[in-house]
Amino acid sequence: MEIFFGAFTSDWEQRRAALLHEMSSGLRRASAEEELRKRLKQIGGAGGGGSGASRTGDGWQGRMSPQARTPATAASRPMQTRLAAVAKGSQPAVVKMASYGGGARVGAMLNYVSRSGELKVENENGKILEGRDDLARVRGDWDHLFQNRAESRDIGSFSVDIAAAGFASDEASHERVRSTLTSGFGDRRYAYAIEKNDDGSLTVEGLVVLRSGQGERLTGDSKAAGIIQSRYDASAAGREAEAKFLFRGYGNGVEFGASRLRGLVDQHQDVRNDRGQSIADEKAAGDLVQKDWRGELHSRKSRDVMHVIMSARAGTDVAAFEGAVRDYLAHQFAGHRYVFAMHDPASDPKEAGEGGKRPHVHAHAIIAMKSDAGDRIETTPAVFREWRSVMAEKARNHGIEMEMTDRREFASPPAFTRTQVRPVSREGRTEHVGTSEPAQARYDAKRSGRRILAASDRSRKYAIKVQETWQRIALASGDHQTVAYAAQHREVLETGLSTMQAKTSATVIPADFRSTFRANLATLQQTVLEGEELREMLRVDFEAYEKKVETALFKLERSVGAEDRAGFDEVASLARDFVNQKRELVDLYEQRKEALAEQSGEEPRNEPRDPAYDEWDAAVAKHGATVVEAGNAALIEIEHYREGLDRIEAGEFSADGKEAMQSGLNQAMERAAQLAAEGNSYLQEVAEEDPDLQRAIDQAEAPDRPDEAKDKVSSNVASADEQQRELPADEDDRQPADNDARQAHELASTVEATHRLQDRLSKDREAAQPGGEMTRPDPAQQHIPRLEELEREQMEQRERDRDDRDR
């Protein structure tokens, strides 16, 4: 259905209609959802379920945008035709996404593309823009298409002057510095270097993550420095030594932080992090930001424009390639504002040593992500494939032999991204170094042309199809060069597939191998994609959905392995992007209600409040928030094991896991009883209606025989459970559960426990902070799962109790 946006009189109606049109047709949802499914499948093999869309060889066609679903001539070319053309000398189509940027960066991007106005730039209407004046007008012409969202301030550069004091050693001075910084910054991550002054004072320079673990984000300016200064002055460290805090700047993202930290390492011999660990070199600096700080930044950057590069081999006719690029942009980005410029080594004013005069002809395009009609460009892997297909078609129309290719057809290694490497030399072909060990390995593999087969099941099936195609080309072609080329790639794929098969058959996987991780991964996918069905929902419904996603992410993060850490970060980012889209829809519906209320002269009606919130607030008012939250966490754990036993008794799962489930229930009951015995009034109240819990509490309160009481708790819980559940006579004859059943059991238990937690927990309430202590919050990314808070509070309580007993 076509939407005529001019029919809507107000801005919010137009934006709402555009958003609904995008989501209903797949335009908006395809990017986040397709990428999320891909990453879920890559890191755990759990993606791809629960969507209802039909799966095809190239993606989730039911969710693609109309651009991705509309096949170009190149997309319909058979694989054998494409590969045979490549074997005869056709060049691959190269269309690369170089970067995204906010509206504020349009001027800088245009300046780079036009070589500071020295190259001609052509816009979507075919008009030639020459000189700085024409380029400067582009920013104003496109301004209405930009969201103009400010980038988040992620990392701040600071300096601290610490008054003179006698330090016995260098280590003593480092301890004093860390004490000072921690008193001011709290739990924020930081890195620093020390300079000793002649008068005995210390000057500290460093970087700090501006977002705290509780979600407070400092602004990295004089106002933030005042907040930190007042916090330090009120601390114990502030009474021991005078210190002056100052912020010198701030920046966005991992790339900024890694660059500034590497600069700090270059300037100082001894740079350390907040744990006192040395940052010895640039590689360690990059690893610290990429691996340790990335997950705490919750970075946000506007995507108003994108920078796309189209390349051809050296020696390609420049005029023909320029015509192909012009036709490609007009076809693929019809309705969008864009400009492009050709970089021809013969006419490039930039010297080779500065990164210019590249041997191959290429074009740079700056494209507005949003069209005048409100449509946004999608950038999923399936869309990128379509871009290359269209580029190849337009090039052939201009006499350039070019084909769309897939790296799996040649066993090529995956490409590296601009965040995984940094340039070290622009002489000729730009040389890079990786920002981490995995990134360096990926870069080396790509530059050396190492043959790598993608390991997923879908890619393996595709590789088998490609191998057969190369075989047919070798048999059908009469050209010796084509036959040799096809035979070479067939052998590469055959060797890789054989090696992959040998590894698979030789690997023995235990029945419970990473079952918790896979279950949590599937839970996350199911939870995130519940938002597909949400349309005109209440704010309270959305907040419950958002908290459910954050809890699922928390559970997944706890079970993720080191080798999957990078994949988890991508999944978390995509999941939160998906939730942010739903937030935008909720905002639009609220604007609609306000507008309708204004037209009718009525006050907007308050939405109904979930009764669960009233129950929670009543319990908090009676017992206190900390007591209720700790008790609620213990009850959720008990219910988890009880329902697991119920499902085993009902025959839904095998009885093999009953012993472990019963043991878990005993331990959970003991922990709850211990909390109640230590004075948790909420648990004591609940125990009045739970005989098993009451017996456990009575035993835990027995002062003379703690060991015997513990044994009685376990035996009483077990006997009560046996009385409530009569096992079938043939229970012992059941077959052991296979791996799938165990995974399904864990998945079901995790999902239901998470749902119960969401039903009990109240709205996301910000912890009360001292006046003026924090700056504007970052609501889209600051949610700390309540489960984590509960565990931390319980651990602190146990440590305090242990200290009391020792005294």
Side-chain angles (χ1 to χ4, degrees):
M1 179 181 69
E2 187 174 2
I3 300 296
F4 295 94
F5 297 98
F8 301 99
T9 57
S10 60
D11 179 66
W12 72 264
E13 288 179 322
Q14 293 181 10
R15 290 192 294 118
R16 171 179 170 271
L19 178 61
L20 288 176
H21 176 58
E22 291 172 356
M23 299 184 70
S24 63
S25 62
L27 286 169
R28 181 79 175 232
R29 186 171 54 204
S31 175
E33 183 177 329
E34 181 72 16
E35 190 68 10
L36 177 60
R37 293 183 189 280
K38 175 185 174 184
R39 295 304 179 189
L40 286 170
K41 190 171 183 66
Q42 282 181 345
I43 70 170
S51 71
S54 58
R55 187 78 166 179
T56 70
D58 288 335
W60 293 84
Q61 298 294 332
R63 304 303 176 105
M64 282 187 183
S65 65
Q67 280 185 326
R69 287 199 298 267
T70 304
T73 303
S76 61
R77 288 167 68 84
M79 180 187 294
Q80 185 168 338
T81 302
R82 293 189 295 102
L83 296 184
V86 173
K88 294 176 182 178
S90 290
Q91 58 179 299
V94 178
V95 182
K96 297 188 296 185
M97 173 65 71
S99 65
Y100 297 97
R105 293 200 63 242
V106 171
M109 297 170 80
L110 290 174
N111 189 58
Y112 172 80
V113 167
S114 66
R115 296 292 195 240
S116 300
E118 296 186 47
L119 294 178
K120 71 172 185 177
V121 176
E122 184 176 328
N123 69 8
E124 72 280 359
N125 296 321
K127 180 181 178 181
I128 304 301
L129 310 178
E130 294 182 311
R132 293 179 177 271
D133 293 339
D134 285 349
L135 295 176
R137 282 191 287 271
V138 171
R139 173 68 175 82
D141 292 342
W142 292 10
D143 187 69
H144 67 286
L145 303 174
F146 300 153
Q147 295 177 339
N148 290 319
R149 293 178 58 190
E151 295 181 348
S152 57
R153 302 181 182 186
D154 300 329
I155 296 176
S157 175
F158 68 86
S159 66
V160 181
D161 293 324
I162 302 177
F167 299 107
S169 63
D170 289 342
E171 287 301 321
S173 63
H174 276 284
E175 289 181 4
R176 169 59 63 83
V177 168
R178 287 197 297 274
S179 175
T180 300
L181 297 180
T182 301
S183 298
F185 294 142
D187 64 352
R188 293 176 173 85
R189 308 295 298 277
Y190 59 80
Y192 69 93
I194 300 176
E195 290 185 4
K196 295 183 178 180
N197 303 318
D198 295 338
D199 60 355
S201 63
L202 301 177
T203 298
V204 182
E205 295 183 356
L207 299 171
V208 61
V209 175
L210 294 176
R211 187 181 186 276
S212 73
Q214 285 72 41
E216 303 173 76
R217 191 185 292 272
L218 297 171
T219 52
D221 52 17
S222 58
K223 180 179 180 181
I227 294 171
I228 297 301
Q229 186 69 54
S230 61
R231 179 181 298 172
Y232 173 75
D233 292 342
S235 67
R239 292 189 288 272
E240 295 179 1
E242 182 180 354
K244 178 67 175 178
F245 286 78
L246 178 67
F247 277 108
R248 299 188 178 276
Y250 53 83
N252 173 273
V254 171
E255 190 173 1
F256 170 84
S259 174
R260 292 301 177 91
L261 188 54
R262 283 192 291 264
L264 190 67
V265 171
D266 288 340
Q267 297 172 9
H268 300 275
Q269 294 183 348
D270 188 7
V271 179
R272 304 192 183 188
N273 64 11
D274 51 289
R275 298 181 178 91
Q277 300 167 336
S278 175
I279 306 173
D281 50 31
E282 293 185 350
K283 177 183 173 301
D287 286 347
L288 178 65
V289 179
Q290 288 274 359
K291 297 179 180 179
D292 293 351
W293 290 7
R294 177 192 290 272
E296 302 185 13
L297 298 182
H298 290 256
S299 183
R300 183 187 66 244
K301 182 181 294 187
S302 182
R303 290 186 174 186
D304 293 328
V305 294
M306 63 180 181
H307 178 193
V308 178
I309 302 174
M310 296 133 288
S311 303
R313 285 176 179 167
T316 301
D317 183 88
V318 176
F321 185 68
E322 182 176 4
V325 169
R326 183 181 294 110
D327 292 350
Y328 162 71
L329 293 173
H331 176 277
Q332 193 66 50
F333 304 108
H336 289 263
R337 306 285 185 97
Y338 61 81
V339 296
F340 75 96
M342 298 295 299
H343 285 197
D344 176 11
S347 60
D348 194 342
K350 200 172 186 179
E351 296 300 325
E354 301 172 347
K357 297 188 182 300
R358 300 300 175 89
H360 63 283
V361 60
H362 58 281
H364 293 261
I366 307 300
I367 306 167
M369 296 290 289
K370 184 180 179 181
S371 72
D372 288 318
D375 299 324
R376 287 190 67 83
I377 296 172
E378 296 304 323
T379 54
T380 65
V383 172
F384 289 149
R385 184 184 180 94
E386 178 67 17
W387 288 5
R388 299 197 306 274
S389 297
V390 175
M391 184 68 236
E393 177 196 11
K394 301 305 179 184
R396 289 194 301 272
N397 292 343
H398 286 265
I400 302 172
E401 294 299 324
M402 184 178 288
E403 296 290 341
M404 188 280 294
T405 59
D406 189 307
R407 75 176 186 88
R408 296 172 295 181
E409 296 165 351
F410 304 90
S412 300
F416 52 87
T417 66
R418 61 190 297 269
T419 60
Q420 293 173 326
V421 297
R422 62 184 180 90
V424 293
S425 173
R426 299 188 183 275
E427 186 74 28
R429 188 183 190 186
T430 304
E431 295 296 327
H432 302 82
V433 295
T435 54
S436 64
E437 288 186 6
Q440 184 66 48
R442 187 164 184 164
Y443 174 76
D444 293 339
K446 189 64 177 178
R447 281 297 171 91
S448 64
R450 187 184 310 157
R451 301 297 181 182
I452 298 177
L453 260 67
S456 68
D457 183 64
R458 178 185 170 195
S459 295
R460 182 184 61 81
K461 293 177 180 178
Y462 188 86
I464 293 173
K465 181 181 178 181
V466 174
Q467 179 192 359
E468 297 171 350
T469 302
W470 283 124
Q471 178 68 17
R472 288 195 296 270
I473 293 173
L475 294 175
S477 178
D479 179 67
H480 176 72
Q481 182 178 355
T482 301
V483 171
Y485 188 92
Q488 175 188 0
H489 285 88
R490 179 190 61 79
E491 291 173 1
V492 168
L493 291 173
E494 184 177 7
T495 302
L497 288 169
S498 300
T499 303
M500 188 183 301
Q501 180 64 30
K503 290 181 179 180
T504 303
S505 60
T507 303
V508 178
I509 302 178
D512 59 346
F513 176 68
R514 298 179 73 197
S515 60
T516 302
F517 169 69
R518 286 194 294 270
N520 289 337
L521 191 62
T523 302
L524 171 64
Q525 181 186 8
Q526 177 182 346
T527 303
V528 172
L529 298 184
E530 282 180 6
E532 293 179 8
E533 308 303 327
L534 298 177
R535 285 296 180 265
E536 187 170 358
M537 57 180 160
L538 306 179
R539 174 68 64 175
V540 66
D541 296 330
F542 171 75
E543 290 177 349
Y545 165 72
E546 183 179 29
K547 183 173 280 293
K548 189 183 297 183
V549 172
E550 287 293 337
T551 303
L553 282 171
F554 168 72
K555 286 179 173 290
L556 178 61
E557 184 176 15
R558 293 183 61 182
S559 59
V560 73
E563 69 278 6
D564 294 326
R565 187 70 202 182
F568 167 78
D569 292 338
E570 294 187 44
V571 166
S573 176
L574 290 166
R576 290 184 174 115
D577 287 344
F578 194 81
V579 172
N580 289 340
Q581 293 178 11
K582 302 301 174 185
R583 178 185 293 106
E584 183 177 350
L585 184 59
V586 172
D587 293 340
L588 290 175
Y589 274 118
E590 290 184 346
Q591 291 180 31
R592 184 193 67 177
K593 292 179 181 178
E594 292 174 0
L596 292 175
E598 290 177 0
Q599 293 174 5
S600 61
E602 299 177 359
E603 291 295 327
R605 294 191 303 270
N606 294 327
E607 303 295 353
R609 178 178 172 87
D610 193 323
Y613 297 141
D614 296 330
E615 295 176 7
W616 177 271
D617 292 340
V620 169
K622 183 176 182 180
H623 303 283
T626 303
V627 172
V628 174
E629 289 169 354
N632 192 55
L635 293 174
I636 287 175
E637 186 178 13
I638 292 173
E639 286 301 312
H640 165 70
Y641 291 109
R642 281 178 171 173
E643 292 198 11
L645 288 170
D646 288 339
R647 288 175 173 268
I648 292 175
E649 298 300 335
E652 296 182 28
F653 304 108
S654 171
D656 287 358
K658 180 182 179 183
E659 183 178 350
M661 192 66 69
Q662 182 64 59
S663 175
L665 175 60
N666 294 340
Q667 295 175 8
M669 193 70 77
E670 291 171 9
R671 286 191 288 269
Q674 185 62 34
L675 277 175
E678 292 171 354
N680 190 300
S681 57
Y682 178 66
L683 282 175
Q684 292 172 357
E685 180 178 313
V686 173
E688 295 176 1
E689 300 179 3
D690 189 332
D692 295 342
L693 180 59
Q694 186 62 58
R695 281 192 292 269
I697 294 174
D698 293 340
Q699 295 294 342
E701 291 176 344
D704 298 329
R705 297 175 294 173
D707 294 335
E708 181 180 350
K710 183 177 179 180
D711 294 338
K712 286 185 178 180
V713 170
S714 300
S715 61
N716 286 341
V717 172
S719 61
D721 184 70
E722 290 296 332
Q723 293 173 6
Q724 295 174 4
R725 305 174 179 86
E726 293 295 335
L727 284 175
D730 59 347
E731 186 66 42
D732 294 336
D733 297 333
R734 292 185 179 177
Q735 297 295 327
D738 57 11
N739 189 33
D740 292 339
R742 293 186 180 182
Q743 292 178 20
H745 177 204
E746 293 182 6
L747 172 58
S749 300
T750 302
V751 171
E752 293 183 8
T754 304
H755 287 184
R756 288 194 306 275
L757 175 62
Q758 298 308 318
D759 292 337
R760 290 173 179 266
L761 290 180
S762 63
K763 294 180 179 178
D764 185 30
R765 299 185 299 272
E766 295 292 340
Q769 300 292 339
E773 183 174 301
M774 60 176 288
T775 59
R776 183 177 60 84
D778 183 10
Q781 303 291 346
Q782 290 180 9
H783 300 288
I784 303 299
R786 298 295 301 163
L787 197 57
E788 184 178 11
E789 292 187 22
L790 298 178
E791 290 185 353
R792 183 168 62 250
E793 291 171 359
Q794 291 183 39
M795 291 176 63
E796 292 174 353
Q797 182 64 39
R798 293 193 186 103
E799 291 176 358
R800 288 195 296 269
D801 294 341
R802 188 181 303 109
D803 293 341
D804 292 341
R805 289 195 295 270
D806 292 342
R807 288 196 293 270

